Amino acid sequence: MRIARYSPAGGGPASYGVVEGDGDAAAVVRLQGAPYDGVRTTEERTPLTEVSLLAPVEPSKVVAFGRNYAEHAKELGNEVPEIPIVFLKPSTSVVGPDAQVTYPRLTKDLHFEGELAVVIGRTCSAVAPEDVDGYVFGYTVANDLTMRDIQKSEGQWTRGKGFDGACPLGPWVETELDPSALPLRSTVNGEVRQDGTTADMLRDVGACVSWISQAMTLLPGDVVLTGTPAGVGSLQRGDEVSVTIDGIGTLTTRIAGG
Ligand code: ZN
């Protein structure tokens, strides 16, 4: 099942919905409330072309793993971490599919990072890796936008990875998916830049969610980013960056001048 969040194209209140069908026939069926306690559909069905898709989650926090693919650690001259590197992206960094993100004035080197995003469905605290599956609602696509020069020059990554618009998510959450070997591709203006698979993650979804849940409670709608494969690179004003994960969909972000 694909769960989206949307508002009418002309504006109006946001709702969660189930996306049915593909292409021109795609439509969204509105839900009562959020989907985490059970998906309650209504009679209200709207063609997908007549809605604006929003970020499919409203997380209290986005927790992200750094250097979780060996080839990516290497391309930036880093070792694979023995102890996971974890950072937070604030709720204010989250934007939806088809978002326009303003190139931040603080940076001269904005990078894209295509990533598999885990969406939590049940309150989750100190969960063992083998039990994580029961707490996952589904999966969506993320772009862990990074001010690389700021990230490198500051001890913490909070500003470099937490600016407004730094966390595009979408287009929806796929709830029935095996995340262990999903092809992941990123393109910039149509040119392929990342071509990886989630099978190359150093720590898998269970290990990542378990690790963070030992320290903090994850709530329904919270998101865990699982790191990026090799091929990251700079974005320029006017670029269009798309991240595709097979079985989920494509997340496209335009970089506006600023
Ligand atoms: Zn990342």
Side-chain angles (χ1 to χ4, degrees):
M1 193 164 42
R2 293 175 290 176
I3 303 288
R5 237 178 101 245
Y6 67 99
S7 59
S15 307
Y16 286 89
V18 179
V19 178
E20 297 179 345
D22 288 296
D24 290 345
V28 61
V29 177
R30 192 171 72 78
L31 298 183
Q32 275 176 12
Y36 306 111
D37 298 330
V39 171
R40 296 176 300 276
T41 53
T42 66
E43 297 293 306
E44 201 179 309
R45 186 186 166 91
T46 313
L48 205 57
T49 51
E50 291 174 22
V51 304
S52 298
L53 288 179
L54 310 171
V57 287
E58 301 169 276
S60 76
K61 54 194 167 295
V62 176
V63 190
F65 281 73
R67 299 173 197 158
N68 198 29
Y69 288 77
E71 288 302 310
H72 167 64
K74 203 158 76 178
E75 73 179 340
L76 295 182
N78 297 309
E79 298 291 323
V80 166
E82 236 167 86
I83 296 172
I85 295 172
V86 175
F87 56 95
L88 286 172
K89 291 168 86 81
S91 58
T92 43
S93 70
V94 173
V95 293
D98 303 322
Q100 185 158 290
V101 171
T102 300
Y103 197 106
R105 286 180 200 179
L106 277 174
T107 187
K108 293 185 169 56
D109 196 16
L110 180 66
H111 273 209
F112 61 90
E113 297 187 356
E115 308 200 4
L116 175 71
V118 185
V119 177
I120 301 299
R122 287 170 57 203
T123 299
C124 172
S125 172
V127 171
E130 60 270 26
D131 296 331
V132 162
D133 224 19
Y135 295 85
V136 171
F137 179 67
Y139 300 90
T140 190
V141 183
N143 191 339
D144 176 20
L145 289 173
T146 301
M147 301 192 289
R148 192 70 75 199
D149 45 355
I150 300 291
Q151 179 200 15
K152 285 179 179 165
S153 68
E154 299 182 0
Q156 300 275 327
W157 297 359
T158 309
R159 291 210 311 164
K161 285 175 171 284
F163 57 92
D164 293 350
C167 193
L169 292 173
W172 39 63
V173 179
E174 174 55 65
T175 61
E176 288 142 48
L177 193 67
D178 175 355
S180 59
L182 300 172
L184 184 160
R185 286 174 308 282
S186 300
T187 64
V188 177
N189 305 324
E191 186 182 305
V192 176
R193 304 287 288 276
Q194 290 186 293
D195 189 1
T197 165
T198 60
D200 289 341
M201 288 183 352
L202 296 169
R203 293 177 178 84
D204 65 11
V205 166
C208 288
V209 173
S210 173
W211 173 266
I212 197 66
S213 80
Q214 306 305 319
M216 68 182 78
T217 299
L218 296 168
L219 302 176
D222 280 354
V223 172
V224 176
L225 304 189
T226 54
T228 195
V232 301
S234 301
L235 293 167
Q236 310 302 327
R237 292 169 178 82
D239 281 351
E240 186 174 273
V241 54
S242 293
V243 183
T244 300
I245 298 179
D246 288 7
I248 306 175
T250 297
L251 170 69
T252 297
T253 307
R254 278 172 298 280
I255 307 301

